[in-house]
Amino acid sequence: MPTPHDTVPVAAIAPLRPLRRRLAAAACAAAAALLLPAADAVAQAWPDKPVTVVVPFAAGGPTDVVARLLAVPMGRSLGQPVIVENAAGAGGTIAANKVARAPATGNTVFLHHMGMATAPALYKKLTFDPLKDFEYIGQVVDVPMTLLGRKDLPAGNLQELLAYIKQNKGKVMLANAGLGAVSHLCGLLFQSSIGEELTTVPYKGTGPAMSDLLGGQVDLLCDQTTQTVPFIKDGRLKVFGVTVPQRLAALPAVPTLDEQGLKGFEVKVWHGLYAPKGTPAEAQKKLNEALRAALQDPVVKQRLAELSSDIPPMSKVTPEGLKTHLESEIAKWGPVIRKAGVYAD
């Protein structure tokens, strides 16, 4: 007769196995359910690594200065370092294409100026679409421009300059910092507005163009206030007007081109912050909040004022504000560039 210590027959154990498997499966499912909230929290804790702002121009330039000025306060808001990466070349299209193809996680964003709006007309073979390949974070900052002349140019105001241009057809030399540069675009709009063609002289950057203007080798140059205000204030160059509708606090005595007769003339080097198409909505929201906070930081506001740069209204520091402005700028610059018949490729 079997005792309590005898082995239980296998046949008696077999029916218990499916039950054990079901109990084990239920336990695993319960454990997984308990872990789900934690997994969701990790997934939503963006950013979990540094954010890179790609700038399409060399370090030290106006756009790079803006990016580095915003990086620290944006990093504070995001809780992660914001790193500036320079990817210069081809009028900003190399960097734009790089960001358009980057993983859409929110960890790579793009700071570009008005070149985002002029690229579709300047390049016949553009490898990205500004309106389809990006998410919009918000407008960033506006930098006015000035129309400058060599110190000894025989004209004291815009009307005298226009008369001088008519009297010297084909002889007045207008410098720019290269094909597609904002100085080139401003020059195109100026020629279109006055109905005259000037002899354009492209340089490899603003530095050489400004050097030759100071030396009297060229007659005119349209450039950003971040570069030109010192030369205007110390009298080394003549100024014929600013390119925005209102006079500048830094140059209160200098009239706008609009008030001198070029109605509707407006060129400002506006900037926008973009992310690759498909970037999660939560990342877009946090990026926009960080941008808005940075633009209201007292140090940032003071520094931008010193650079004669304007922070746009907060209503434009939004995805909708940037998209609307980009669309209007594409419509504005396309006809000007096509009329000039100048392409960058």
Side-chain angles (χ1 to χ4, degrees), residues 36 42 61 65 92 120 135-136 146 150 174 208 212 214 225 228 239 274 286 291 299 301 324 339:
L36 278 176
V42 171
V65 169
E135 303 289 356
Y136 309 96
T146 48
R150 55 183 168 85
L174 173 65
D212 273 10
L214 289 164
T225 54
T228 65
V239 58
Y274 307 83
K286 289 184 177 181
L291 173 61
V299 175
K301 292 174 73 173
T324 299
K339 181 180 179 181

Side-chain angles (χ1 to χ4, degrees), residues 42 45-50 80 107:
V42 171
W46 184 93
D48 57 353
K49 60 182 179 179
Q80 288 286 344
N107 293 90

Side-chain angles (χ1 to χ4, degrees), residues 45-98:
W46 184 93
D48 57 353
K49 60 182 179 179
V51 173
T52 298
V53 179
V54 179
V55 174
F57 306 106
T63 304
D64 179 75
V65 169
V66 171
R68 294 181 190 278
L69 186 60
L70 295 175
V72 173
M74 284 188 69
R76 283 199 300 266
S77 295
L78 294 171
Q80 288 286 344
V82 174
I83 301 166
V84 177
E85 177 185 321
N86 300 94
T93 59
I94 291 176
N97 186 66
K98 176 179 181 177

Side-chain angles (χ1 to χ4, degrees), residues 56-57 63 89-97 110-123 126 128-131 134 141 145 179-186 224 267-272 274 322 325-326 329-330 333-334 337 344:
F57 306 106
T63 304
T93 59
I94 291 176
N97 186 66
F110 185 41
L111 180 66
H112 198 7
H113 62 31
M114 58 190 280
M116 195 71 155
T118 58
L122 272 174
Y123 292 85
L126 202 60
F128 64 92
D129 188 329
L131 294 174
F134 298 90
V141 66
M145 302 189 78
L179 190 63
V182 290
S183 55
H184 171 232
L185 299 169
C186 182
Q224 300 178 56
V267 180
K268 56 185 176 183
V269 189
W270 59 272
H271 297 73
Y274 307 83
L322 176 56
H325 190 65
L326 177 62
E329 287 285 287
I330 289 174
W333 287 104
I337 294 170

Side-chain angles (χ1 to χ4, degrees), residues 301-345:
K301 292 174 73 173
Q302 179 181 347
R303 182 60 180 142
L304 289 175
E306 291 171 354
L307 295 172
S308 296
S309 302
D310 299 320
I311 296 172
M314 286 296 112
S315 61
K316 292 187 176 182
V317 188
T318 62
E320 298 78 11
L322 176 56
K323 182 182 180 183
T324 299
H325 190 65
L326 177 62
E327 290 172 340
S328 67
E329 287 285 287
I330 289 174
K332 170 184 175 179
W333 287 104
V336 175
I337 294 170
R338 285 190 287 270
K339 181 180 179 181
V342 179
Y343 300 96
D345 57 0

